Amino acid sequence: MSLLEKSFELARAENRALLIGYLPAGFPTLDRSILAIKAMAEGGVDVIEVGLPYSDPVMDGPVIQQASEMALANGFKTRDVFKVVAASPAPTLVMSYWNPIERFGVAEFSENLKKAGGEGVITPDLTIEESQSWISSTDKEQLHRVYVVAPSTTDNRLAKVTKHCSGFIYAASLMGVTGARRDVSSAAQSLVERVKKVSNTPVCVGLGVSTGEQAREISKYADGVIVGSAFIKLILDSKSESEANLKVKSLATELAAAVRR
Amino acid sequence: MPEALIGALDELSRAHQEALSDPTFQVELMELHRTYTGRPSIITEAKRFSEYCGGARIFLKREDLNHTGSHKINNVLGQALLTKRMGKKRIIAETGAGQHGVASATAAALLGLECVVYMGEEDTKRQALNVARMKLLGAEVIPVTTGSRTLKDAINEAMRDWVTHVANTHYLLGTVAGPDPFPTMVRDFHKIIGDESRAQMLELIGRLPDAVLACVGGGSNAIGIFYAFLNDQSVRLIGLEAGGAGVETGKHAATIVGGTPGVLHGTRTYVLQDGDGQTRESHSISAGLDYPGVGPEHAYLHEIGRAEYRAITDDEAMEAFSLLSKSEGIIPAIETAHALAGAMKIGREMGKENGKETTLLINLSGRGDKDVQTAAKYFGIPL
Ligand SMILES: Cc1ncc(COP(=O)(O)O)c(C=O)c1O
């Protein structure tokens, strides 16, 4: 059993949803991103999702766009993501758009991630139809492959896509891009229910989730809650690194309490 | 491509396939082209410009005379009719030079659709006149301030809008790039350029041209004129990319000449990118060619050797811009001037090689009204 699967098992035993926290590698700098991830874990985030900054993040809203631009401007390189994964104190997945992975080399990327202790990869813009090389290299390295499904995904396609997912299935709470929203749309729950009909893999809900209240709501029907932009926003708005990490830790604590059922 | 858009892309593919085989759709589109676009567009022989092309006979396919001033309207009217067919009420578009934005705003006004145009902030400055035109036509123009603030970032922003409003919105993509079915669909709406030209050339000179030339940004005007000639092996197909300050300087938008294979905006094609797969900023004096990707069909035609691609620098394009204006009384778009500069080179080369008369057909993709400010600045004409 992988560390990720163990985390789900533990959460289930404690009657709570899993809490997944997202931060981009290299934001605002490599060292600071590692410390922020540690703060997230100390606050109670179970699993870390490390973003690989990309120049054209079409599925991301303004906050992650800004963070990615800052990371790239500060010299982030693809191989840096493995340093962040290796330094992460919790089970860790990478989230990456496809072109940087392909450019690095699909097999090399998988090998390096495995060596760094990574659990798997979330690929927001890769379709299963384009996944041949990806499936074989992640299978070889025994990495989890997480695809994103959306409220617009048909039942037919849900069955096809989820067959290739392992670890968990990323359910986008709404039609749109990442970024905090005031309300979690009702589309999230019906999507989770539809996924549950075709797959036994855990389902985690992300996109737009930023508060304890929203996390509590989602925990009632999903196996995990994913929060990203809200953490980044805290870092962007802080005057110092120590202030940023304190705030990150305290949001993680608030969310960790909220996911208990 | 994000899974969230697969449904919309499938829906679009179906609508496109159905429309292709629906005679009423084709009749409606043809009637619009005849009574609104002004098709068929004429061919003009450029007898005086010929002098700068090694004496080759030069024929210009006058897409600049289309309503709204460029080839872009061909695709826009087609997709706008598809939008109605799909029962959607809102279109969004990206634009670089503003020509596609203006054409989209025009079609939206004509067909009663809501229209939002995303345009890089940098481009809203160099194409200010077109921003005003879009607003006069009733469209909303949203300046994009992320990344390089040009065409690629406008596409990113349009994709984000689309994934958010996909239920009632059609993304009217303006070139032969992006995810399937856009490259094929946009080509189908532009192939009328080549179909008309091929027949017109046979009528005018009784034979096919020796080469067909077009500028290549995303590649829509080029594939539009190339397509009818693909099986005519005697006809060279030549695409001219934006060489900016020179491909060797790294400041250019010549994606096939100076790029590497990758994935951008849901298409596998040539991309300007660094060793990490991060998209590099493109540079060109022409906003419409300033894109770090290119249509996948051009990548394919390049790989099989059916079409050739070359880079034209800013300075070469501006020289051709000036020469055509002064020798023919036609002010071309700066995008188009890249194709004209290509004709100056190819005409001289082919003249020397075969020693007999050479005939070149050039897609005059657009007129230069929108570029008067940029050109005046370039040539030091006070405004
Ligand atoms: C007049 C004109 N020609 C060419 C282009 C480049 O687009 P494409 O390569 O798709 O024809 C543009 C784009 O704005 C344009 O306005």
Side-chain angles (χ1 to χ4, degrees), chain B residues 184 187-188 190-192 194-195 198 221-232 237 297 301:
Chain B
T184 326
R187 180 250 280 152
D188 286 348
H190 278 303
K191 73 182 164 65
I192 191 167
D195 289 339
R198 194 173 181 283
N221 88 88
I223 206 76
I225 198 163
F226 287 176
Y227 200 65
F229 296 95
L230 277 185
N231 292 326
D232 299 315
L237 304 176
E297 196 164 0
L301 292 175

mmCIF file with all atom_site columns, all heavy atoms in Angstrom, chain B residues 184 187-188 190-192 194-195 198 221-232 237 297 301:
data_model
loop_
_atom_site.group_PDB
_atom_site.id
_atom_site.type_symbol
_atom_site.label_atom_id
_atom_site.label_alt_id
_atom_site.label_comp_id
_atom_site.label_asym_id
_atom_site.label_entity_id
_atom_site.label_seq_id
_atom_site.pdbx_PDB_ins_code
_atom_site.Cartn_x
_atom_site.Cartn_y
_atom_site.Cartn_z
_atom_site.occupancy
_atom_site.B_iso_or_equiv
_atom_site.pdbx_formal_charge
_atom_site.auth_seq_id
_atom_site.auth_comp_id
_atom_site.auth_asym_id
_atom_site.auth_atom_id
_atom_site.pdbx_PDB_model_num
ATOM 1   N N   . THR B 1 184 ? -8.951  21.826 -37.979 1.00 0.00 ? 184 THR B N   1
ATOM 2   C CA  . THR B 1 184 ? -9.634  21.334 -39.179 1.00 0.00 ? 184 THR B CA  1
ATOM 3   C C   . THR B 1 184 ? -10.816 22.219 -39.537 1.00 0.00 ? 184 THR B C   1
ATOM 4   O O   . THR B 1 184 ? -11.035 22.550 -40.705 1.00 0.00 ? 184 THR B O   1
ATOM 5   C CB  . THR B 1 184 ? -10.184 19.916 -38.924 1.00 0.00 ? 184 THR B CB  1
ATOM 6   O OG1 . THR B 1 184 ? -9.300  19.235 -38.059 1.00 0.00 ? 184 THR B OG1 1
ATOM 7   C CG2 . THR B 1 184 ? -10.363 19.165 -40.200 1.00 0.00 ? 184 THR B CG2 1
ATOM 8   N N   . ARG B 1 187 ? -9.719  25.599 -40.916 1.00 0.00 ? 187 ARG B N   1
ATOM 9   C CA  . ARG B 1 187 ? -9.210  25.378 -42.277 1.00 0.00 ? 187 ARG B CA  1
ATOM 10  C C   . ARG B 1 187 ? -10.372 25.201 -43.258 1.00 0.00 ? 187 ARG B C   1
ATOM 11  O O   . ARG B 1 187 ? -10.371 25.789 -44.343 1.00 0.00 ? 187 ARG B O   1
ATOM 12  C CB  . ARG B 1 187 ? -8.298  24.149 -42.290 1.00 0.00 ? 187 ARG B CB  1
ATOM 13  C CG  . ARG B 1 187 ? -7.722  23.835 -43.651 1.00 0.00 ? 187 ARG B CG  1
ATOM 14  C CD  . ARG B 1 187 ? -8.349  22.566 -44.212 1.00 0.00 ? 187 ARG B CD  1
ATOM 15  N NE  . ARG B 1 187 ? -7.755  21.381 -43.640 1.00 0.00 ? 187 ARG B NE  1
ATOM 16  C CZ  . ARG B 1 187 ? -8.396  20.228 -43.501 1.00 0.00 ? 187 ARG B CZ  1
ATOM 17  N NH1 . ARG B 1 187 ? -9.664  20.093 -43.867 1.00 0.00 ? 187 ARG B NH1 1
ATOM 18  N NH2 . ARG B 1 187 ? -7.794  19.196 -42.977 1.00 0.00 ? 187 ARG B NH2 1
ATOM 19  N N   . ASP B 1 188 ? -11.377 24.426 -42.875 1.00 0.00 ? 188 ASP B N   1
ATOM 20  C CA  . ASP B 1 188 ? -12.514 24.212 -43.766 1.00 0.00 ? 188 ASP B CA  1
ATOM 21  C C   . ASP B 1 188 ? -13.210 25.527 -44.124 1.00 0.00 ? 188 ASP B C   1
ATOM 22  O O   . ASP B 1 188 ? -13.685 25.698 -45.242 1.00 0.00 ? 188 ASP B O   1
ATOM 23  C CB  . ASP B 1 188 ? -13.521 23.240 -43.139 1.00 0.00 ? 188 ASP B CB  1
ATOM 24  C CG  . ASP B 1 188 ? -13.022 21.803 -43.179 1.00 0.00 ? 188 ASP B CG  1
ATOM 25  O OD1 . ASP B 1 188 ? -12.019 21.549 -43.884 1.00 0.00 ? 188 ASP B OD1 1
ATOM 26  O OD2 . ASP B 1 188 ? -13.614 20.939 -42.498 1.00 0.00 ? 188 ASP B OD2 1
ATOM 27  N N   . HIS B 1 190 ? -11.746 28.396 -44.323 1.00 0.00 ? 190 HIS B N   1
ATOM 28  C CA  . HIS B 1 190 ? -10.847 29.256 -45.109 1.00 0.00 ? 190 HIS B CA  1
ATOM 29  C C   . HIS B 1 190 ? -10.451 28.650 -46.449 1.00 0.00 ? 190 HIS B C   1
ATOM 30  O O   . HIS B 1 190 ? -9.815  29.321 -47.256 1.00 0.00 ? 190 HIS B O   1
ATOM 31  C CB  . HIS B 1 190 ? -9.560  29.548 -44.328 1.00 0.00 ? 190 HIS B CB  1
ATOM 32  C CG  . HIS B 1 190 ? -9.696  30.653 -43.326 1.00 0.00 ? 190 HIS B CG  1
ATOM 33  N ND1 . HIS B 1 190 ? -10.113 31.926 -43.667 1.00 0.00 ? 190 HIS B ND1 1
ATOM 34  C CD2 . HIS B 1 190 ? -9.458  30.692 -41.988 1.00 0.00 ? 190 HIS B CD2 1
ATOM 35  C CE1 . HIS B 1 190 ? -10.121 32.694 -42.575 1.00 0.00 ? 190 HIS B CE1 1
ATOM 36  N NE2 . HIS B 1 190 ? -9.740  31.965 -41.540 1.00 0.00 ? 190 HIS B NE2 1
ATOM 37  N N   . LYS B 1 191 ? -10.793 27.393 -46.683 1.00 0.00 ? 191 LYS B N   1
ATOM 38  C CA  . LYS B 1 191 ? -10.272 26.795 -47.916 1.00 0.00 ? 191 LYS B CA  1
ATOM 39  C C   . LYS B 1 191 ? -10.923 27.384 -49.161 1.00 0.00 ? 191 LYS B C   1
ATOM 40  O O   . LYS B 1 191 ? -10.419 27.213 -50.264 1.00 0.00 ? 191 LYS B O   1
ATOM 41  C CB  . LYS B 1 191 ? -10.346 25.272 -47.867 1.00 0.00 ? 191 LYS B CB  1
ATOM 42  C CG  . LYS B 1 191 ? -11.699 24.627 -47.996 1.00 0.00 ? 191 LYS B CG  1
ATOM 43  C CD  . LYS B 1 191 ? -11.491 23.113 -47.860 1.00 0.00 ? 191 LYS B CD  1
ATOM 44  C CE  . LYS B 1 191 ? -12.738 22.331 -47.582 1.00 0.00 ? 191 LYS B CE  1
ATOM 45  N NZ  . LYS B 1 191 ? -13.761 22.317 -48.592 1.00 0.00 ? 191 LYS B NZ  1
ATOM 46  N N   . ILE B 1 192 ? -11.974 28.147 -48.956 1.00 0.00 ? 192 ILE B N   1
ATOM 47  C CA  . ILE B 1 192 ? -12.594 28.882 -50.061 1.00 0.00 ? 192 ILE B CA  1
ATOM 48  C C   . ILE B 1 192 ? -11.567 29.810 -50.744 1.00 0.00 ? 192 ILE B C   1
ATOM 49  O O   . ILE B 1 192 ? -11.653 30.060 -51.949 1.00 0.00 ? 192 ILE B O   1
ATOM 50  C CB  . ILE B 1 192 ? -13.817 29.686 -49.533 1.00 0.00 ? 192 ILE B CB  1
ATOM 51  C CG1 . ILE B 1 192 ? -14.642 30.231 -50.691 1.00 0.00 ? 192 ILE B CG1 1
ATOM 52  C CG2 . ILE B 1 192 ? -13.388 30.789 -48.585 1.00 0.00 ? 192 ILE B CG2 1
ATOM 53  C CD1 . ILE B 1 192 ? -16.008 30.766 -50.270 1.00 0.00 ? 192 ILE B CD1 1
ATOM 54  N N   . GLY B 1 194 ? -8.350  29.243 -51.355 1.00 0.00 ? 194 GLY B N   1
ATOM 55  C CA  . GLY B 1 194 ? -7.594  28.468 -52.332 1.00 0.00 ? 194 GLY B CA  1
ATOM 56  C C   . GLY B 1 194 ? -8.472  27.958 -53.469 1.00 0.00 ? 194 GLY B C   1
ATOM 57  O O   . GLY B 1 194 ? -8.058  27.962 -54.636 1.00 0.00 ? 194 GLY B O   1
ATOM 58  N N   . ASP B 1 195 ? -9.688  27.534 -53.122 1.00 0.00 ? 195 ASP B N   1
ATOM 59  C CA  . ASP B 1 195 ? -10.610 27.039 -54.163 1.00 0.00 ? 195 ASP B CA  1
ATOM 60  C C   . ASP B 1 195 ? -10.848 28.124 -55.214 1.00 0.00 ? 195 ASP B C   1
ATOM 61  O O   . ASP B 1 195 ? -10.750 27.878 -56.415 1.00 0.00 ? 195 ASP B O   1
ATOM 62  C CB  . ASP B 1 195 ? -11.948 26.615 -53.537 1.00 0.00 ? 195 ASP B CB  1
ATOM 63  C CG  . ASP B 1 195 ? -11.818 25.335 -52.709 1.00 0.00 ? 195 ASP B CG  1
ATOM 64  O OD1 . ASP B 1 195 ? -10.844 24.583 -52.931 1.00 0.00 ? 195 ASP B OD1 1
ATOM 65  O OD2 . ASP B 1 195 ? -12.675 25.092 -51.839 1.00 0.00 ? 195 ASP B OD2 1
ATOM 66  N N   . ARG B 1 198 ? -7.464  29.025 -57.210 1.00 0.00 ? 198 ARG B N   1
ATOM 67  C CA  . ARG B 1 198 ? -7.014  28.016 -58.168 1.00 0.00 ? 198 ARG B CA  1
ATOM 68  C C   . ARG B 1 198 ? -7.799  28.171 -59.476 1.00 0.00 ? 198 ARG B C   1
ATOM 69  O O   . ARG B 1 198 ? -7.225  28.212 -60.571 1.00 0.00 ? 198 ARG B O   1
ATOM 70  C CB  . ARG B 1 198 ? -7.204  26.624 -57.585 1.00 0.00 ? 198 ARG B CB  1
ATOM 71  C CG  . ARG B 1 198 ? -6.467  25.533 -58.338 1.00 0.00 ? 198 ARG B CG  1
ATOM 72  C CD  . ARG B 1 198 ? -6.563  24.198 -57.614 1.00 0.00 ? 198 ARG B CD  1
ATOM 73  N NE  . ARG B 1 198 ? -5.829  23.173 -58.347 1.00 0.00 ? 198 ARG B NE  1
ATOM 74  C CZ  . ARG B 1 198 ? -6.281  22.574 -59.448 1.00 0.00 ? 198 ARG B CZ  1
ATOM 75  N NH1 . ARG B 1 198 ? -7.470  22.901 -59.920 1.00 0.00 ? 198 ARG B NH1 1
ATOM 76  N NH2 . ARG B 1 198 ? -5.541  21.679 -60.066 1.00 0.00 ? 198 ARG B NH2 1
ATOM 77  N N   . ASN B 1 221 ? -4.676  31.897 -42.793 1.00 0.00 ? 221 ASN B N   1
ATOM 78  C CA  . ASN B 1 221 ? -4.765  32.374 -44.185 1.00 0.00 ? 221 ASN B CA  1
ATOM 79  C C   . ASN B 1 221 ? -3.897  31.503 -45.075 1.00 0.00 ? 221 ASN B C   1
ATOM 80  O O   . ASN B 1 221 ? -4.225  31.249 -46.238 1.00 0.00 ? 221 ASN B O   1
ATOM 81  C CB  . ASN B 1 221 ? -4.442  33.876 -44.284 1.00 0.00 ? 221 ASN B CB  1
ATOM 82  C CG  . ASN B 1 221 ? -2.967  34.196 -44.454 1.00 0.00 ? 221 ASN B CG  1
ATOM 83  O OD1 . ASN B 1 221 ? -2.460  34.246 -45.570 1.00 0.00 ? 221 ASN B OD1 1
ATOM 84  N ND2 . ASN B 1 221 ? -2.254  34.394 -43.341 1.00 0.00 ? 221 ASN B ND2 1
ATOM 85  N N   . ALA B 1 222 ? -2.777  30.994 -44.515 1.00 0.00 ? 222 ALA B N   1
ATOM 86  C CA  . ALA B 1 222 ? -1.874  30.159 -45.307 1.00 0.00 ? 222 ALA B CA  1
ATOM 87  C C   . ALA B 1 222 ? -2.521  28.823 -45.642 1.00 0.00 ? 222 ALA B C   1
ATOM 88  O O   . ALA B 1 222 ? -2.569  28.415 -46.809 1.00 0.00 ? 222 ALA B O   1
ATOM 89  C CB  . ALA B 1 222 ? -0.555  29.948 -44.548 1.00 0.00 ? 222 ALA B CB  1
ATOM 90  N N   . ILE B 1 223 ? -3.098  28.154 -44.657 1.00 0.00 ? 223 ILE B N   1
ATOM 91  C CA  . ILE B 1 223 ? -3.698  26.854 -44.956 1.00 0.00 ? 223 ILE B CA  1
ATOM 92  C C   . ILE B 1 223 ? -4.905  27.058 -45.874 1.00 0.00 ? 223 ILE B C   1
ATOM 93  O O   . ILE B 1 223 ? -5.182  26.229 -46.746 1.00 0.00 ? 223 ILE B O   1
ATOM 94  C CB  . ILE B 1 223 ? -4.081  26.084 -43.663 1.00 0.00 ? 223 ILE B CB  1
ATOM 95  C CG1 . ILE B 1 223 ? -4.087  24.578 -43.925 1.00 0.00 ? 223 ILE B CG1 1
ATOM 96  C CG2 . ILE B 1 223 ? -5.421  26.472 -43.125 1.00 0.00 ? 223 ILE B CG2 1
ATOM 97  C CD1 . ILE B 1 223 ? -2.739  23.968 -44.010 1.00 0.00 ? 223 ILE B CD1 1
ATOM 98  N N   . GLY B 1 224 ? -5.594  28.192 -45.708 1.00 0.00 ? 224 GLY B N   1
ATOM 99  C CA  . GLY B 1 224 ? -6.750  28.483 -46.557 1.00 0.00 ? 224 GLY B CA  1
ATOM 100 C C   . GLY B 1 224 ? -6.387  28.546 -48.024 1.00 0.00 ? 224 GLY B C   1
ATOM 101 O O   . GLY B 1 224 ? -7.097  28.012 -48.878 1.00 0.00 ? 224 GLY B O   1
ATOM 102 N N   . ILE B 1 225 ? -5.261  29.171 -48.338 1.00 0.00 ? 225 ILE B N   1
ATOM 103 C CA  . ILE B 1 225 ? -4.884  29.269 -49.752 1.00 0.00 ? 225 ILE B CA  1
ATOM 104 C C   . ILE B 1 225 ? -4.092  28.037 -50.210 1.00 0.00 ? 225 ILE B C   1
ATOM 105 O O   . ILE B 1 225 ? -4.158  27.647 -51.370 1.00 0.00 ? 225 ILE B O   1
ATOM 106 C CB  . ILE B 1 225 ? -4.130  30.591 -50.053 1.00 0.00 ? 225 ILE B CB  1
ATOM 107 C CG1 . ILE B 1 225 ? -4.153  30.863 -51.578 1.00 0.00 ? 225 ILE B CG1 1
ATOM 108 C CG2 . ILE B 1 225 ? -2.699  30.585 -49.513 1.00 0.00 ? 225 ILE B CG2 1
ATOM 109 C CD1 . ILE B 1 225 ? -3.814  32.280 -51.964 1.00 0.00 ? 225 ILE B CD1 1
ATOM 110 N N   . PHE B 1 226 ? -3.363  27.379 -49.297 1.00 0.00 ? 226 PHE B N   1
ATOM 111 C CA  . PHE B 1 226 ? -2.572  26.192 -49.685 1.00 0.00 ? 226 PHE B CA  1
ATOM 112 C C   . PHE B 1 226 ? -3.459  25.001 -50.053 1.00 0.00 ? 226 PHE B C   1
ATOM 113 O O   . PHE B 1 226 ? -3.126  24.209 -50.917 1.00 0.00 ? 226 PHE B O   1
ATOM 114 C CB  . PHE B 1 226 ? -1.668  25.711 -48.532 1.00 0.00 ? 226 PHE B CB  1
ATOM 115 C CG  . PHE B 1 226 ? -0.464  26.579 -48.243 1.00 0.00 ? 226 PHE B CG  1
ATOM 116 C CD1 . PHE B 1 226 ? 0.376   26.274 -47.161 1.00 0.00 ? 226 PHE B CD1 1
ATOM 117 C CD2 . PHE B 1 226 ? -0.141  27.675 -49.036 1.00 0.00 ? 226 PHE B CD2 1
ATOM 118 C CE1 . PHE B 1 226 ? 1.490   27.048 -46.876 1.00 0.00 ? 226 PHE B CE1 1
ATOM 119 C CE2 . PHE B 1 226 ? 0.971   28.461 -48.748 1.00 0.00 ? 226 PHE B CE2 1
ATOM 120 C CZ  . PHE B 1 226 ? 1.784   28.148 -47.658 1.00 0.00 ? 226 PHE B CZ  1
ATOM 121 N N   . TYR B 1 227 ? -4.565  24.875 -49.308 1.00 0.00 ? 227 TYR B N   1
ATOM 122 C CA  . TYR B 1 227 ? -5.274  23.588 -49.285 1.00 0.00 ? 227 TYR B CA  1
ATOM 123 C C   . TYR B 1 227 ? -5.679  23.089 -50.670 1.00 0.00 ? 227 TYR B C   1
ATOM 124 O O   . TYR B 1 227 ? -5.523  21.909 -50.977 1.00 0.00 ? 227 TYR B O   1
ATOM 125 C CB  . TYR B 1 227 ? -6.493  23.682 -48.352 1.00 0.00 ? 227 TYR B CB  1
ATOM 126 C CG  . TYR B 1 227 ? -6.980  22.343 -47.894 1.00 0.00 ? 227 TYR B CG  1
ATOM 127 C CD1 . TYR B 1 227 ? -6.181  21.532 -47.089 1.00 0.00 ? 227 TYR B CD1 1
ATOM 128 C CD2 . TYR B 1 227 ? -8.234  21.868 -48.269 1.00 0.00 ? 227 TYR B CD2 1
ATOM 129 C CE1 . TYR B 1 227 ? -6.621  20.285 -46.670 1.00 0.00 ? 227 TYR B CE1 1
ATOM 130 C CE2 . TYR B 1 227 ? -8.675  20.622 -47.844 1.00 0.00 ? 227 TYR B CE2 1
ATOM 131 C CZ  . TYR B 1 227 ? -7.860  19.836 -47.053 1.00 0.00 ? 227 TYR B CZ  1
ATOM 132 O OH  . TYR B 1 227 ? -8.292  18.604 -46.647 1.00 0.00 ? 227 TYR B OH  1
ATOM 133 N N   . ALA B 1 228 ? -6.157  24.007 -51.511 1.00 0.00 ? 228 ALA B N   1
ATOM 134 C CA  . ALA B 1 228 ? -6.621  23.585 -52.842 1.00 0.00 ? 228 ALA B CA  1
ATOM 135 C C   . ALA B 1 228 ? -5.460  23.134 -53.730 1.00 0.00 ? 228 ALA B C   1
ATOM 136 O O   . ALA B 1 228 ? -5.661  22.468 -54.739 1.00 0.00 ? 228 ALA B O   1
ATOM 137 C CB  . ALA B 1 228 ? -7.371  24.736 -53.514 1.00 0.00 ? 228 ALA B CB  1
ATOM 138 N N   . PHE B 1 229 ? -4.229  23.511 -53.355 1.00 0.00 ? 229 PHE B N   1
ATOM 139 C CA  . PHE B 1 229 ? -3.054  23.203 -54.185 1.00 0.00 ? 229 PHE B CA  1
ATOM 140 C C   . PHE B 1 229 ? -2.237  22.015 -53.664 1.00 0.00 ? 229 PHE B C   1
ATOM 141 O O   . PHE B 1 229 ? -1.200  21.688 -54.231 1.00 0.00 ? 229 PHE B O   1
ATOM 142 C CB  . PHE B 1 229 ? -2.135  24.431 -54.271 1.00 0.00 ? 229 PHE B CB  1
ATOM 143 C CG  . PHE B 1 229 ? -2.753  25.617 -54.965 1.00 0.00 ? 229 PHE B CG  1
ATOM 144 C CD1 . PHE B 1 229 ? -3.390  26.620 -54.244 1.00 0.00 ? 229 PHE B CD1 1
ATOM 145 C CD2 . PHE B 1 229 ? -2.708  25.738 -56.353 1.00 0.00 ? 229 PHE B CD2 1
ATOM 146 C CE1 . PHE B 1 229 ? -3.954  27.718 -54.882 1.00 0.00 ? 229 PHE B CE1 1
ATOM 147 C CE2 . PHE B 1 229 ? -3.271  26.840 -57.003 1.00 0.00 ? 229 PHE B CE2 1
ATOM 148 C CZ  . PHE B 1 229 ? -3.900  27.827 -56.260 1.00 0.00 ? 229 PHE B CZ  1
ATOM 149 N N   . LEU B 1 230 ? -2.702  21.404 -52.558 1.00 0.00 ? 230 LEU B N   1
ATOM 150 C CA  . LEU B 1 230 ? -1.888  20.353 -51.916 1.00 0.00 ? 230 LEU B CA  1
ATOM 151 C C   . LEU B 1 230 ? -1.505  19.230 -52.876 1.00 0.00 ? 230 LEU B C   1
ATOM 152 O O   . LEU B 1 230 ? -0.389  18.718 -52.829 1.00 0.00 ? 230 LEU B O   1
ATOM 153 C CB  . LEU B 1 230 ? -2.638  19.751 -50.715 1.00 0.00 ? 230 LEU B CB  1
ATOM 154 C CG  . LEU B 1 230 ? -2.552  20.507 -49.396 1.00 0.00 ? 230 LEU B CG  1
ATOM 155 C CD1 . LEU B 1 230 ? -3.236  19.705 -48.291 1.00 0.00 ? 230 LEU B CD1 1
ATOM 156 C CD2 . LEU B 1 230 ? -1.122  20.821 -49.012 1.00 0.00 ? 230 LEU B CD2 1
ATOM 157 N N   . ASN B 1 231 ? -2.441  18.867 -53.759 1.00 0.00 ? 231 ASN B N   1
ATOM 158 C CA  . ASN B 1 231 ? -2.153  17.750 -54.666 1.00 0.00 ? 231 ASN B CA  1
ATOM 159 C C   . ASN B 1 231 ? -1.504  18.179 -55.973 1.00 0.00 ? 231 ASN B C   1
ATOM 160 O O   . ASN B 1 231 ? -1.203  17.343 -56.821 1.00 0.00 ? 231 ASN B O   1
ATOM 161 C CB  . ASN B 1 231 ? -3.443  16.981 -54.972 1.00 0.00 ? 231 ASN B CB  1
ATOM 162 C CG  . ASN B 1 231 ? -3.948  16.260 -53.731 1.00 0.00 ? 231 ASN B CG  1
ATOM 163 O OD1 . ASN B 1 231 ? -3.131  15.798 -52.918 1.00 0.00 ? 231 ASN B OD1 1
ATOM 164 N ND2 . ASN B 1 231 ? -5.248  16.199 -53.561 1.00 0.00 ? 231 ASN B ND2 1
ATOM 165 N N   . ASP B 1 232 ? -1.305  19.490 -56.148 1.00 0.00 ? 232 ASP B N   1
ATOM 166 C CA  . ASP B 1 232 ? -0.625  19.979 -57.357 1.00 0.00 ? 232 ASP B CA  1
ATOM 167 C C   . ASP B 1 232 ? 0.875   20.017 -57.074 1.00 0.00 ? 232 ASP B C   1
ATOM 168 O O   . ASP B 1 232 ? 1.408   21.037 -56.622 1.00 0.00 ? 232 ASP B O   1
ATOM 169 C CB  . ASP B 1 232 ? -1.136  21.383 -57.715 1.00 0.00 ? 232 ASP B CB  1
ATOM 170 C CG  . ASP B 1 232 ? -2.626  21.391 -58.002 1.00 0.00 ? 232 ASP B CG  1
ATOM 171 O OD1 . ASP B 1 232 ? -3.098  20.491 -58.726 1.00 0.00 ? 232 ASP B OD1 1
ATOM 172 O OD2 . ASP B 1 232 ? -3.330  22.287 -57.483 1.00 0.00 ? 232 ASP B OD2 1
ATOM 173 N N   . LEU B 1 237 ? 4.545   25.454 -52.087 1.00 0.00 ? 237 LEU B N   1
ATOM 174 C CA  . LEU B 1 237 ? 3.762   26.139 -51.057 1.00 0.00 ? 237 LEU B CA  1
ATOM 175 C C   . LEU B 1 237 ? 4.749   26.709 -50.051 1.00 0.00 ? 237 LEU B C   1
ATOM 176 O O   . LEU B 1 237 ? 5.556   25.968 -49.474 1.00 0.00 ? 237 LEU B O   1
ATOM 177 C CB  . LEU B 1 237 ? 2.802   25.154 -50.382 1.00 0.00 ? 237 LEU B CB  1
ATOM 178 C CG  . LEU B 1 237 ? 1.848   24.410 -51.336 1.00 0.00 ? 237 LEU B CG  1
ATOM 179 C CD1 . LEU B 1 237 ? 1.016   23.384 -50.571 1.00 0.00 ? 237 LEU B CD1 1
ATOM 180 C CD2 . LEU B 1 237 ? 0.947   25.393 -52.074 1.00 0.00 ? 237 LEU B CD2 1
ATOM 181 N N   . GLU B 1 297 ? -1.299  21.447 -38.706 1.00 0.00 ? 297 GLU B N   1
ATOM 182 C CA  . GLU B 1 297 ? -1.243  20.991 -40.098 1.00 0.00 ? 297 GLU B CA  1
ATOM 183 C C   . GLU B 1 297 ? -0.015  21.573 -40.804 1.00 0.00 ? 297 GLU B C   1
ATOM 184 O O   . GLU B 1 297 ? 0.571   20.934 -41.684 1.00 0.00 ? 297 GLU B O   1
ATOM 185 C CB  . GLU B 1 297 ? -2.541  21.373 -40.833 1.00 0.00 ? 297 GLU B CB  1
ATOM 186 C CG  . GLU B 1 297 ? -2.698  20.613 -42.135 1.00 0.00 ? 297 GLU B CG  1
ATOM 187 C CD  . GLU B 1 297 ? -4.106  20.659 -42.703 1.00 0.00 ? 297 GLU B CD  1
ATOM 188 O OE1 . GLU B 1 297 ? -5.000  21.288 -42.090 1.00 0.00 ? 297 GLU B OE1 1
ATOM 189 O OE2 . GLU B 1 297 ? -4.314  20.068 -43.778 1.00 0.00 ? 297 GLU B OE2 1
ATOM 190 N N   . LEU B 1 301 ? 2.834   19.564 -42.697 1.00 0.00 ? 301 LEU B N   1
ATOM 191 C CA  . LEU B 1 301 ? 3.261   19.853 -44.079 1.00 0.00 ? 301 LEU B CA  1
ATOM 192 C C   . LEU B 1 301 ? 4.762   20.121 -44.137 1.00 0.00 ? 301 LEU B C   1
ATOM 193 O O   . LEU B 1 301 ? 5.437   19.795 -45.111 1.00 0.00 ? 301 LEU B O   1
ATOM 194 C CB  . LEU B 1 301 ? 2.487   21.057 -44.638 1.00 0.00 ? 301 LEU B CB  1
ATOM 195 C CG  . LEU B 1 301 ? 0.989   20.822 -44.884 1.00 0.00 ? 301 LEU B CG  1
ATOM 196 C CD1 . LEU B 1 301 ? 0.300   22.116 -45.312 1.00 0.00 ? 301 LEU B CD1 1
ATOM 197 C CD2 . LEU B 1 301 ? 0.774   19.724 -45.930 1.00 0.00 ? 301 LEU B CD2 1
#
